[in-house]
Amino acid sequence: MAHATTSDTRRYVNLPGRSSTLPFSDGVLVGDTFYLSGRIGSDPVTGRAPSDVDAEITLLLDGVQAVLAEAGMNMDDLVSVQIFSPDLSLWEPFNAAYAKRFGRDLPARAFIGSGPLLLGGRFELMGIAVRRS
């Protein structure tokens, strides 16, 4: 009989109050590696991205931190991040807010031009985190 190990144990992570109608998890923890689903900075009241870019970035990064915390991790555990944006001119304001969320060591990252995003978002972030020993 095979024994389950940390490396083959999966935990599906979702924030409390998340809609059960969405066909994906907020993330999946496999051993010490966490796969973060794409997140958009949507306003919890309207369900859409706010008109203010800085407010959207804050909501997005707060959401990422919340999902990582639910998995027992933090922003410094991220090792790879992809940001999708239909407007590449928003690279600088995004970078300014993003850099403040990390210590000295930053994850590998891509800022990728995309078509329109769901819910009127200007950014969607997905990533991989590995728990530090």
Side-chain angles (χ1 to χ4, degrees):
M1 181 170 172
H3 296 292
T5 64
T6 304
S7 63
D8 64 9
T9 302
R10 295 180 187 185
R11 181 165 70 98
Y12 296 86
V13 175
N14 291 300
L15 289 175
R18 179 184 183 281
S19 171
S20 62
T21 62
L22 295 174
F24 56 89
S25 296
D26 288 333
V28 180
L29 184 63
V30 182
D32 287 332
T33 303
F34 184 67
Y35 300 90
L36 176 70
S37 290
R39 296 204 56 86
I40 293 175
S42 58
D43 182 317
V45 174
T46 66
R48 300 198 49 83
S51 59
D52 180 72
V53 171
D54 292 330
E56 180 181 353
I57 295 168
T58 297
L59 285 167
L60 170 61
L61 296 175
D62 287 352
V64 168
Q65 283 186 285
V67 173
L68 288 168
E70 193 70 21
M73 295 183 163
N74 61 52
M75 295 292 275
D76 288 330
D77 291 318
L78 284 167
V79 295
S80 178
V81 173
Q82 296 175 343
I83 297 104
F84 301 89
S85 179
D87 185 352
L88 294 179
S89 72
L90 296 175
W91 183 74
E92 288 186 29
F94 186 87
N95 281 344
Y98 175 88
K100 291 177 185 172
R101 299 290 181 121
F102 294 94
R104 189 185 68 140
D105 298 324
L106 298 169
R109 194 187 92 176
F111 194 94
I112 303 162
S114 70
L117 297 174
L118 296 173
L119 308 174
R122 288 174 284 249
F123 310 98
E124 182 168 356
L125 186 151
M126 60 187 288
I128 299 171
V130 177
R131 189 181 323 278
R132 293 177 184 239
S133 0

